[in-house]
Amino acid sequence: MGSRRVRRLVVGEQVFLWWVGHRHGADGSGCTEILSVRRLGEGGRLVIGFTEGPGRLVPDAVGVVGGAVVNLHQPGVVRALLDAVGACGWGEEELHVDGWTLLAAVQG
């Protein structure tokens, strides 16, 4: 995913670290934007992926679906995605979630 800018997000008493990255399939196709979030001082990680497909574009950390644009670099978007998943829902493990299933919560 190359270099990443790690940012902080405070939600109540909890501090989260988050970053956005970009991945390609093994053959160089199939772009996916990845939002990774973890609680400060804990080992678990939430990985929200947005993989391109018909009607789904992932240019420069922005998910585009049905004409609506979601900027994954905005703290408010990250907070909305955390709320949609449930900020306490992944514990010490790594949880992978299809980000496209969460867009209604972010856009609403």
Side-chain angles (χ1 to χ4, degrees), residues 5-98:
R5 179 177 175 211
V6 178
R7 299 178 67 185
R8 292 171 51 104
L9 177 68
V10 178
V11 179
E13 299 285 322
Q14 295 184 325
V15 177
F16 296 91
L17 301 178
W18 61 279
W19 58 95
V20 177
H22 188 84
R23 292 186 184 155
H24 295 273
D27 62 356
S29 63
C31 293
T32 301
E33 286 298 315
I34 304 291
L35 171 64
S36 296
V37 184
R38 71 174 185 86
R39 282 186 207 86
L40 184 63
E42 295 186 20
R45 183 167 72 130
L46 172 63
V47 180
I48 302 174
F50 294 85
T51 301
E52 70 180 359
R56 296 176 173 181
L57 304 174
V58 292
D60 194 22
V62 178
V64 180
V65 62
V69 177
V70 175
N71 185 339
L72 299 177
H73 290 281
Q74 304 246 337
V77 170
V78 175
R79 171 65 192 269
L81 289 168
L82 268 176
D83 288 347
V85 170
C88 298
W90 72 87
E92 287 295 315
E93 306 206 358
E94 189 166 285
L95 174 64
H96 290 259
V97 177
D98 177 0

